[in-house]
Amino acid sequence: MPHYRAPVEDTLFLLSDVLGVHGRANLAGFADATPDVMEAVLREGGKLADAVLAPVNQAGDREGCTRHADGRVTTPAGFKTAYDAYVGGGWLGLSMPEAFGGQGLPQVLNTAIQEFASGANLALSMYPGLTQGAAAALLVHGSQAQKDLYLPPMVEGRWTGTMNLTEPHCGTDLGLLRTRAAPNGDGSYAITGTKIFISAGEHDLSENIVHLVLARIEGAPAGTKGISLFLVPKVLVNEDGSLGARNGVSCGSIEHKMGIHGNSTCVMNYDAATGWLVGEANRGLNAMFVMMNEARLAVGVQGLGQSEAAYQNAVAYAKDRLQGRSLTGAKAPDKPADPIIVHPDVRRTLMQIRAFNEAARALVLWTALQSDILHRTEDAQERRTADDLMGLMTPVVKGVLTDRGFANAVEAQQLYGGHGYVEEWGMSQFVRDARIAMIYEGANGIQAMDLIGRKLPKDGGRAMMTFLGEVQTFLKDNGEDEAMAPFVRPLKTAADDLQQATMWLMQNAMGKPEHAGAGASDYMHLLGLVALGTMWGRIAKAALARKAEGGDTSRWDAKLVTGRFFMERTLPETALRLARIRSGADATMALDAEAF
Amino acid sequence: MPHYRAPVEDTLFLLSDVLGVHGRANLAGFADATPDVMEAVLREGGKLADAVLAPVNQAGDREGCTRHADGRVTTPAGFKTAYDAYVGGGWLGLSMPEAFGGQGLPQVLNTAIQEFASGANLALSMYPGLTQGAAAALLVHGSQAQKDLYLPPMVEGRWTGTMNLTEPHCGTDLGLLRTRAAPNGDGSYAITGTKIFISAGEHDLSENIVHLVLARIEGAPAGTKGISLFLVPKVLVNEDGSLGARNGVSCGSIEHKMGIHGNSTCVMNYDAATGWLVGEANRGLNAMFVMMNEARLAVGVQGLGQSEAAYQNAVAYAKDRLQGRSLTGAKAPDKPADPIIVHPDVRRTLMQIRAFNEAARALVLWTALQSDILHRTEDAQERRTADDLMGLMTPVVKGVLTDRGFANAVEAQQLYGGHGYVEEWGMSQFVRDARIAMIYEGANGIQAMDLIGRKLPKDGGRAMMTFLGEVQTFLKDNGEDEAMAPFVRPLKTAADDLQQATMWLMQNAMGKPEHAGAGASDYMHLLGLVALGTMWGRIAKAALARKAEGGDTSRWDAKLVTGRFFMERTLPETALRLARIRSGADATMALDAEAF
């Protein structure tokens, strides 16, 4: 059976040494997150992931969810117990406001726990994960009464949340959506329509489910400017918070999916279900984007989580499986063959995943820290910079970490040979589960378009200039340090590639937007590579500092080697991305649609 | 439901215009394969794939194979009928010798049919595919009596074949295998042991199954030099070819796999089963390699087949799905949104797969033609060159076409958004099915080691020099042709990268073989890119010639645009591969195994 062990030590190192979160006492809530508290939280969260969530992961895949004739959905055996342990420990509300029962701790801590949970059991982690997203949207856009009524049980995990956007004919292009809302005259609306691909739409883990639903109020404008957001509880809620009658919403069927079988993906039928407007009428997309942005970062973290889980298992297999002899002479002469970890191509695979994971972990925590700064600082300039950087990096974290996380799961599976292809060993599940992260919350092509079409040009390119400025500062600050040269030199080349790609787009895509579209995916990956390379620069610096303290330096030596591998093997991909972007859209767009 | 349409027109163009097979009348059997015969064969084979094999593909995935308590295995509904149509049409023996009931047509035709069959229904195509491989091994290494007794019903498809190599503790490293063979005194052996991952090991499609089994004769040397190949029929065969008693071989269980559910992957138990030596004692690996090499090319073709099938469905979806508007203004103003094929990132995806498929098809046919030359020419020099090129390209076709074929299936699935993740649309199946091709017949890392450790240094690097010489000749011959410049220039750069990587390995890997191991996978892909780029050069030249004939040139214009896309977007990856190879093994191998 596959195993999982939460990367607690690495997370602690990143938080303290690389991101310096303990020096951020100016941020609200950070003063409470002392080094001791952070360590205790991460160790407990790690234990939960390892010992409670991971053990039901494979069984959850095998059993899947079951929809009964009456519309009820049963989650796999063991999920309810594990979910109860998760929410019982207060993990869902870790960084939610104390006013609603949360612990108010930094988002950066919550993000670390999200990695652990999604690495241990992606399907299960989605139930609380979607609840956090729905709660975030209510926090920002809900009325005080809505927050008071719905948030405490959601933070507690007694009620879960969903987001209902997609309809059969309408995915990315939400302007096409048809679900309609008719005023009931009492302030509520009757919501009617069909939503598909609703994760956690119906299940047996919670007493109630709070659906956030995009719909069009009768008479509203066509397109995206006529969409409103509604709160539609599965069970109607009395004023005192107790549960009333069943609402007119039900699960029509569940999807048969490639993976995340433990999560119920539902077709939801709204049949004049009672709903309440969240935020302003016709401003639903705006409200939903709060949830989407939160969810996008969480999905990027899922890519990392699956990559880490697959890596850990591949390492164990590579140390255990005996096959062939080392090119440099037998390493286990007493055994019939050497463990396959002696083979360079196996090492290459493991190093490639490891070098990604460690930088990706730094990047998601860095991005979460921007979120903390944005929401918790009093300094306007600091807030603006954090907002810029987070906006810029959200599509990158989502798109790049899930593309690479999936590719890494495939590589890890490959090490198992035929054993990777049979379900018994669990590697197929990592691949199948990781695959969804490239798709949901906006397919990665959409992330790339968001980056290049919205985030990049916004405010005259201020966010990208800020990011590149930070990279340049890092390069300048470390340019004279001989020990940092293996990191500084390749990062400078990569940052130059990014700068040139950005220039090329500025000069060419204004006149012909198809140049931007044809290069969008490559540009997203180019920025992702530079961001990950920058993280390796920061990690290396911190590792060198720890190494200088003396003692057993093996952990820091391993960090530095892993970083060098990234710089030598992964980062040079920036040149390929630049070449593709510069080739423009001509060959891409030349054919008539009929020629396909 | 997904569809499939065999690429008959493209195959005809490649055979006639690019490979010039009709000028090869010096090769035995080619004179019979007139243009008319070839076209008729391909059109009929295409029909079979489209109308018989493809329609049961998705249902086969859903139902899978069932093992009954008595060890019998049932294939999915519809498989038997489709299989009967396949073998009834004589497709299994298309290029088998007429002496054993085959049609003696060129292997290059058989390879085209393999693409059609594996694109239409990979799981089903494996039953005749493995039979072809087993028959090929018997043809070369079997005794006359064995050939006379076993080949005719195998060529007919009344009996199928398998290859039994893997054991639980022994995959790549066959020296570890334990299955033993005890002489019965009558020329036969009693075979005892357990084999795993045996594709088509037990099923209900044929009257008998001819297992080719690697085992160790009692007292044989340890390691690979003590392995012999045995023929072990499921049902014992009387001298007149009629069936006798059941042999002591049975299916202990079938694997639950990620994909190819329609193919029964069995644990086979040999319990003093009666077997006969094939070829010389202790030379079993040698005999098995005939089968393996045949199978490796066929598996490469499977990578292409799945890539093509996924592409065709993605094209249909991209033309049909309405979502968003073109960046250059509405293309379908009468509809609520434009089909997503208008979006550059969707186009990029389709062009990327298409540009690979068309070159990969040329490459597999070119490689199959080398096989035809090898087996059918009387010219010793021509034979040697064909042998060199085929040996060099076999691991590349297997490794590169399956890696990219899988990646393409994933990209095609991505275009469907959430619909790609649910099983209903069939895109998940293409991904899950394509995944196995990277693993079986030697995982792709093993192909890379075969290339760099065996094929490259063999005979002083003669094969690679021959290949590079052919590329240089092509570049020289076309260097002055302005219309060929978009192909010649990038190909020259790519060939230079390959030459430099080869030089670097010669200078560095002799002293430190780990440099070769750490760069093996990148080198395989680098060679694959140059080979595919060379194919595009040849295709472009042929397309320009056809275009010069006048008339409707749209088909040739599309070819040229697709080739340019490959040159601009895919081929520049050679520089990245070279950079990785040159970085050597230091960072890859620096960590102790315990540090993982």
Side-chain angles (χ1 to χ4, degrees):
Chain A
M1 198 173 89
H3 75 282
Y4 177 77
R5 192 149 185 278
V8 174
E9 301 303 330
D10 197 40
T11 304
L12 284 167
F13 163 70
L14 291 171
L15 290 176
S16 62
D17 291 51
V18 178
L19 299 178
V21 294
H22 303 311
R24 300 282 189 165
N26 61 314
L27 302 177
F30 273 58
D32 296 338
T34 61
D36 285 353
V37 166
M38 284 222 181
E39 181 165 349
V41 166
L42 290 174
R43 290 210 187 284
E44 281 307 307
K47 265 190 232 166
L48 183 81
D50 302 354
V52 177
L53 305 184
V56 294
N57 188 41
Q58 192 176 28
D61 179 62
R62 285 192 187 156
E63 183 183 340
C65 294
T66 309
R67 180 184 174 278
H68 303 278
D70 60 1
R72 281 183 308 114
V73 172
T74 312
T75 55
F79 266 43
K80 173 77 175 133
T81 307
Y83 175 81
D84 287 347
Y86 188 92
V87 300
W91 296 103
L92 204 154
L94 196 66
S95 57
M96 290 281 166
E98 291 169 278
F100 300 107
Q103 301 185 51
L105 286 166
Q107 177 64 18
V108 74
L109 260 188
N110 185 51
T111 300
I113 298 296
Q114 282 178 335
E115 188 207 329
F116 300 171
S118 67
N121 192 326
L122 177 55
L124 180 50
S125 75
M126 290 170 65
Y127 296 98
L130 283 156
T131 308
Q132 287 181 332
L138 286 178
L139 257 177
V140 179
H141 292 282
S143 67
Q144 190 61 44
Q146 287 171 339
K147 290 192 253 192
D148 290 341
L149 194 60
Y150 291 98
L151 282 180
M154 289 174 79
V155 169
E156 219 183 310
R158 271 197 299 121
W159 301 355
T160 56
T162 70
M163 53 199 299
N164 289 237
L165 290 79
T166 306
E167 299 178 8
H169 62 289
C170 151
T172 300
D173 188 355
L174 288 169
L176 301 174
L177 79 77
R178 294 180 191 151
T179 298
R180 52 189 202 281
N184 287 330
D186 62 354
S188 73
Y189 291 80
I191 312 290
T192 302
T194 299
K195 296 286 182 178
I196 64 170
F197 303 152
I198 306 309
S199 300
E202 175 59 36
H203 57 81
D204 57 359
L205 300 181
S206 62
E207 298 167 13
N208 199 3
I209 302 176
V210 180
H211 301 292
L212 294 187
V213 184
L214 289 183
R216 204 180 288 281
I217 298 174
E218 285 178 352
T224 53
K225 295 202 170 101
I227 299 174
S228 304
L229 181 65
F230 294 90
L231 186 163
V232 186
K234 170 182 163 183
V235 185
L236 294 168
V237 180
N238 300 320
E239 270 176 37
D240 64 355
S242 64
L243 296 179
R246 256 309 283 269
N247 201 352
V249 48
S250 62
C251 165
S253 62
I254 57 177
E255 302 286 358
H256 299 280
K257 307 185 301 289
M258 183 176 180
I260 51 165
H261 295 159
N263 199 278
S264 62
T265 306
C266 301
V267 173
M268 297 302 296
N269 295 323
Y270 292 85
D271 187 10
T274 306
W276 289 267
L277 191 64
V278 177
E280 292 174 49
N282 300 337
R283 298 271 296 156
L285 276 196
N286 189 41
M288 190 55 103
F289 270 120
V290 172
M291 184 161 182
M292 295 278 289
N293 277 328
E294 173 116 354
R296 283 177 182 186
L297 288 174
V299 172
V301 172
Q302 293 174 355
L304 165 61
Q306 291 295 297
S307 180
E308 175 68 30
Y311 168 78
Q312 291 182 10
N313 284 279
V315 164
Y317 189 78
K319 287 178 174 177
D320 186 58
R321 174 78 171 172
L322 306 177
Q323 212 78 184
R325 288 292 182 193
S326 165
L327 293 170
T328 56
K331 294 286 176 290
D334 52 320
K335 292 184 177 158
D338 288 340
I340 61 171
I341 199 168
V342 305
H343 302 309
D345 190 60
V346 170
R347 281 292 180 105
R348 170 194 65 79
T349 304
L350 294 177
M351 288 298 290
Q352 190 176 315
I353 308 175
R354 175 189 181 114
F356 166 82
N357 289 353
E358 296 184 8
R361 183 167 301 121
L363 183 60
V364 298
L365 295 175
W366 177 88
T367 309
L369 183 59
Q370 306 310 313
S371 166
D372 279 324
I373 296 169
L374 170 63
H375 294 110
R376 297 171 191 236
T377 186
E378 313 240 308
D379 177 335
Q381 172 62 39
E382 198 183 30
R383 183 160 57 234
R384 195 182 80 173
T385 299
D387 197 16
D388 282 353
L389 291 174
M390 204 181 125
L392 185 73
M393 216 48 80
T394 296
V396 174
V397 166
K398 198 287 183 180
V400 176
L401 268 54
T402 61
D403 273 1
R404 291 199 174 250
F406 172 75
N408 288 340
V410 171
E411 289 261 16
Q413 178 190 32
Q414 185 72 13
L415 284 195
Y416 282 68
H419 298 282
Y421 198 66
V422 298
E423 294 294 345
E424 181 185 352
W425 290 76
M427 299 308 285
S428 163
Q429 186 188 352
F430 293 132
V431 171
R432 292 184 289 97
D433 284 2
R435 184 68 185 86
I436 189 55
M438 296 160 70
I439 297 173
Y440 61 16
E441 306 308 336
N444 287 355
I446 302 300
Q447 305 300 325
M449 289 305 296
D450 175 49
L451 172 64
I452 212 164
R454 256 183 245 130
K455 302 299 174 57
L456 190 59
K458 197 173 160 228
D459 301 316
R462 194 177 67 203
M464 179 55 86
M465 281 187 285
T466 303
F467 173 75
L468 281 170
E470 290 208 352
V471 177
Q472 297 302 346
T473 303
F474 180 84
L475 291 172
K476 219 176 106 196
D477 289 352
N478 296 281
E480 307 292 308
D481 183 347
E482 200 42 49
M484 283 294 288
F487 300 91
V488 167
R489 261 187 255 121
L491 182 56
K492 187 175 174 332
T493 305
D496 285 350
D497 287 343
L498 175 59
Q499 210 140 11
Q500 288 185 51
T502 311
M503 292 262 293
W504 191 92
L505 288 170
M506 280 167 57
Q507 287 161 1
N508 294 280
M510 303 280 191
K512 186 169 174 179
E514 292 184 333
H515 281 321
S521 179
D522 286 300
Y523 190 81
M524 177 179 77
H525 277 279
L526 173 48
L527 175 52
L529 285 161
V530 174
L532 292 168
T534 305
M535 290 302 138
W536 264 122
R538 293 178 195 275
I539 293 169
K541 201 174 159 68
L544 285 166
R546 290 291 284 267
K547 185 176 167 164
E549 290 172 7
D552 177 4
T553 64
S554 57
R555 182 174 166 199
W556 314 118
D557 292 332
K559 270 283 179 208
L560 294 166
V561 164
T562 307
R564 260 189 50 213
F565 182 97
F566 185 91
M567 293 293 169
E568 292 175 5
R569 291 259 174 174
T570 306
L571 198 56
E573 193 184 309
T574 54
L576 172 61
R577 301 293 182 175
L578 172 60
R580 286 191 191 146
I581 292 165
R582 273 187 176 149
S583 76
D586 296 347
T588 306
M589 301 304 290
L591 293 189
D592 287 337
E594 294 70 39
F596 282 89
Chain B
M1 198 172 89
H3 75 281
Y4 178 77
R5 191 147 186 276
V8 174
E9 302 304 330
D10 197 40
T11 304
L12 284 167
F13 163 69
L14 292 171
L15 291 176
S16 62
D17 291 51
V18 178
L19 299 177
V21 294
H22 303 312
R24 299 282 189 165
N26 62 314
L27 302 178
F30 273 58
D32 296 338
T34 62
D36 285 354
V37 166
M38 284 221 181
E39 181 164 349
V41 166
L42 291 173
R43 291 210 186 283
E44 281 307 306
K47 266 191 231 165
L48 183 81
D50 302 354
V52 177
L53 305 184
V56 294
N57 187 41
Q58 192 176 28
D61 179 62
R62 285 193 186 155
E63 182 182 342
C65 295
T66 309
R67 181 186 175 277
H68 304 278
D70 59 1
R72 281 182 309 113
V73 172
T74 312
T75 55
F79 267 43
K80 174 77 176 135
T81 308
Y83 175 82
D84 287 347
Y86 188 92
V87 299
W91 296 103
L92 203 154
L94 196 67
S95 58
M96 289 281 166
E98 291 168 277
F100 300 107
Q103 302 184 52
L105 286 167
Q107 177 63 20
V108 74
L109 261 188
N110 186 51
T111 300
I113 298 297
Q114 282 178 336
E115 189 207 328
F116 301 172
S118 67
N121 192 326
L122 178 54
L124 179 50
S125 76
M126 290 170 65
Y127 296 98
L130 283 154
T131 308
Q132 288 180 331
L138 286 178
L139 257 178
V140 179
H141 291 282
S143 67
Q144 191 60 45
Q146 287 171 338
K147 290 193 252 192
D148 291 339
L149 194 58
Y150 292 97
L151 282 180
M154 289 174 79
V155 169
E156 219 182 309
R158 271 197 299 121
W159 301 355
T160 56
T162 71
M163 52 199 298
N164 289 238
L165 290 78
T166 306
E167 300 178 7
H169 62 288
C170 150
T172 300
D173 188 354
L174 289 168
L176 300 174
L177 78 77
R178 294 181 192 151
T179 298
R180 51 190 202 281
N184 286 330
D186 60 355
S188 73
Y189 291 79
I191 312 291
T192 303
T194 299
K195 296 286 182 178
I196 64 170
F197 302 152
I198 307 308
S199 300
E202 175 60 37
H203 57 81
D204 56 0
L205 299 181
S206 63
E207 298 167 15
N208 200 3
I209 301 175
V210 180
H211 301 292
L212 294 187
V213 184
L214 289 183
R216 204 180 287 283
I217 298 173
E218 285 178 351
T224 54
K225 296 202 168 99
I227 298 175
S228 304
L229 181 65
F230 294 90
L231 186 165
V232 185
K234 169 181 163 183
V235 185
L236 293 168
V237 180
N238 301 320
E239 270 176 36
D240 64 356
S242 64
L243 296 179
R246 257 310 283 269
N247 201 353
V249 48
S250 61
C251 165
S253 62
I254 56 177
E255 302 286 358
H256 299 280
K257 308 184 300 290
M258 184 175 179
I260 51 166
H261 294 159
N263 199 278
S264 61
T265 306
C266 301
V267 173
M268 297 303 294
N269 295 323
Y270 291 86
D271 186 10
T274 305
W276 288 269
L277 191 63
V278 177
E280 292 174 49
N282 299 338
R283 298 270 296 155
L285 276 196
N286 190 39
M288 190 55 103
F289 269 120
V290 172
M291 185 162 182
M292 294 279 289
N293 277 328
E294 173 115 354
R296 282 177 183 187
L297 287 174
V299 172
V301 173
Q302 292 174 355
L304 165 61
Q306 291 296 296
S307 180
E308 175 67 30
Y311 168 78
Q312 292 182 10
N313 285 279
V315 164
Y317 188 78
K319 287 177 174 179
D320 186 59
R321 174 78 171 171
L322 306 177
Q323 211 78 182
R325 287 292 182 192
S326 165
L327 293 170
T328 56
K331 294 286 177 290
D334 52 320
K335 292 185 177 157
D338 287 339
I340 61 171
I341 200 168
V342 305
H343 302 308
D345 190 59
V346 170
R347 281 293 180 105
R348 170 195 65 79
T349 303
L350 294 177
M351 288 298 290
Q352 190 176 315
I353 308 176
R354 175 189 181 114
F356 166 84
N357 289 352
E358 296 184 8
R361 182 167 302 121
L363 183 60
V364 299
L365 295 174
W366 178 87
T367 309
L369 183 59
Q370 306 310 314
S371 166
D372 279 325
I373 296 170
L374 170 63
H375 293 111
R376 297 171 192 237
T377 186
E378 312 240 309
D379 178 335
Q381 173 62 39
E382 199 183 28
R383 183 159 58 233
R384 196 182 78 172
T385 300
D387 197 16
D388 281 354
L389 290 175
M390 204 181 125
L392 185 72
M393 217 48 80
T394 296
V396 175
V397 166
K398 198 286 182 181
V400 176
L401 267 55
T402 61
D403 273 1
R404 292 199 174 250
F406 171 75
N408 287 341
V410 171
E411 290 260 16
Q413 179 190 30
Q414 185 72 12
L415 284 196
Y416 283 68
H419 298 283
Y421 198 65
V422 298
E423 295 293 346
E424 180 185 353
W425 290 76
M427 300 307 286
S428 164
Q429 186 188 351
F430 293 133
V431 171
R432 291 184 291 96
D433 284 2
R435 184 68 185 87
I436 189 56
M438 296 160 71
I439 297 174
Y440 62 16
E441 305 309 337
N444 287 355
I446 302 301
Q447 305 299 326
M449 289 304 297
D450 175 49
L451 172 64
I452 212 164
R454 257 183 244 130
K455 302 299 174 57
L456 189 60
K458 197 173 160 230
D459 300 317
R462 195 177 66 203
M464 180 55 87
M465 280 187 285
T466 303
F467 173 76
L468 281 170
E470 291 208 353
V471 177
Q472 296 302 346
T473 303
F474 179 85
L475 291 172
K476 220 175 105 197
D477 290 351
N478 296 282
E480 306 294 307
D481 183 348
E482 200 42 48
M484 282 294 289
F487 300 90
V488 167
R489 261 187 255 121
L491 182 55
K492 188 177 173 332
T493 305
D496 285 350
D497 287 343
L498 176 59
Q499 210 140 10
Q500 287 185 51
T502 311
M503 292 263 293
W504 190 92
L505 287 170
M506 279 168 57
Q507 287 161 0
N508 294 280
M510 304 281 190
K512 186 169 174 180
E514 292 184 333
H515 281 322
S521 179
D522 286 301
Y523 189 82
M524 177 179 77
H525 278 278
L526 174 48
L527 176 52
L529 285 161
V530 174
L532 293 168
T534 305
M535 291 301 137
W536 264 122
R538 292 177 196 275
I539 294 168
K541 201 174 158 70
L544 284 166
R546 290 291 283 270
K547 186 176 167 165
E549 291 171 8
D552 178 4
T553 64
S554 58
R555 182 174 166 199
W556 314 118
D557 291 333
K559 270 283 179 209
L560 293 166
V561 163
T562 307
R564 260 188 52 212
F565 183 97
F566 185 90
M567 293 293 168
E568 292 175 5
R569 291 259 175 173
T570 305
L571 199 55
E573 193 183 309
T574 55
L576 172 61
R577 301 292 182 175
L578 173 60
R580 286 190 191 147
I581 292 164
R582 273 188 177 148
S583 77
D586 295 346
T588 306
M589 301 305 290
L591 293 189
D592 287 338
E594 294 71 39
F596 283 88

